Amino acid sequence: MDVGGLVAAGPVWVGSSELTMSLDGIVACVDAGAGAVVAKSVNESAAARRQLDIADYAFVSGDRQVRPPGRAYPGDGLLNRSGLAQVDLDDWLGILAAGVAHGAAQGCPVVGSITLGDPAAAARIGRALADVVPAVELNIGAPHGREARAVRQLTEVDGVRDAVRTVRAAVGVPLFVKLPGQASDVVALARAARSAGADAVGLVGRYPGFLPDLDGGAVLGSWGAWSSPGCLPMSLYWVSKAFQQLDVPIVGTNGARTVTDVLRFLASGARAVEVVTALWIGGPAVLRELVDGVAEVGDDFVGSALAGTREYADVPPPPSPAWEPYTARWMSSGR
């Protein structure tokens, strides 16, 4: 399959995370059947690398209870604080080259990733990555950009256009741009990225999060980045809107844990879907389950949900108000 000029083995991809921060991790993801693997992000900032020293992770149950370390379940949300790969660029290029060679033997491309700091520096790094990897992901939607000075999150059209244009001029391989989900108009950001030369867009990055522990502090002791199965409809909102309004391949992110979740991303218009947290919880076997679960899905399935979806003004009223059963049950409950 082709996504923005990148030939991948399938639509289930492993996203950038600590799981893809080493050659062993990249190889494990390739061997588990990933359609593509996005390596851990890098940038020019030593502060972004040092931030990994204070990384922390909290899995949160559906009733908002924090799990003990090492215990998590598929429906849990993840609140975390993270940083970038702690490796010099030259060493990282060697790791990526080895990962690319391993993936190529199985038809699985390994993609380099940059989390934006300074656009000019991102362009220099992108040029170096493009000599090694078949595609580059530029992450300008990192939620940590709201807390960590070493990375940036762009939520305005002009900023997105300028940053993508700068990196595009330096990168001679397919360029994927990962966008945030909490901007006022994510479709406008995707349009700006496309007009500046993005070959595909990733929708959407995780959301900022905060959870008090009620003992006078907060889970993680700070703010963090949040993802959960509950984020799925929010992610699919922007995927479906971008698919409907733009001509750009979409890589779905944030909220896919199960085969059904991946299928919903595809039906909403994503050509491929990145997963991370599901693998943290369930290991490589989960990836194989996801890959097998979508193996028979054809290109015509992508965006198929939009055929039966209407704007509010075009929805016909039902025979009786949909809210009646809910209000009737409340009125009869004794309040």
Side-chain angles (χ1 to χ4, degrees), residues 157-299:
V157 165
D158 290 345
V160 169
R161 184 182 296 111
D162 291 346
V164 174
R165 184 180 291 124
T166 297
V167 177
R168 170 78 281 173
V171 173
V173 297
L175 177 64
F176 297 174
V177 178
K178 189 172 182 179
L179 297 165
Q182 66 270 29
S184 60
D185 189 347
V186 175
V187 174
L189 300 186
R191 183 179 292 109
R194 181 64 158 171
S195 70
D199 294 292
V201 295
L203 301 175
V204 291
R206 291 179 297 154
Y207 297 93
F210 181 73
L211 191 64
D213 62 18
L214 303 185
D215 290 326
V219 175
L220 302 183
S222 73
W223 292 265
W226 173 253
S227 65
S228 78
C231 292
L232 183 68
M234 300 156 70
S235 301
L236 298 185
Y237 178 89
W238 290 119
V239 169
S240 62
K241 288 291 187 177
F243 178 83
Q244 183 183 57
Q245 298 179 36
L246 303 177
D247 178 20
V248 59
I250 299 167
V251 179
T253 70
N254 193 359
R257 301 285 182 86
T258 68
V259 171
T260 299
D261 295 339
V262 174
L263 290 172
R264 282 178 165 149
F265 262 111
L266 299 176
S268 298
R271 288 280 297 152
V273 183
E274 291 182 9
V275 294
V276 173
T277 307
L279 308 187
W280 281 78
I281 295 172
V286 172
L287 185 57
R288 174 49 62 188
E289 178 183 341
L290 298 178
V291 170
D292 290 345
V294 302
E296 302 302 320
V297 174
D299 288 346

Side-chain angles (χ1 to χ4, degrees), residues 52-77:
L52 191 65
D53 293 333
I54 60 167
D56 201 0
Y57 316 87
F59 287 93
V60 183
S61 68
D63 60 355
R64 269 69 67 196
Q65 300 301 308
V66 179
R67 304 283 192 193
R71 293 186 61 186
Y73 294 85
D76 289 352

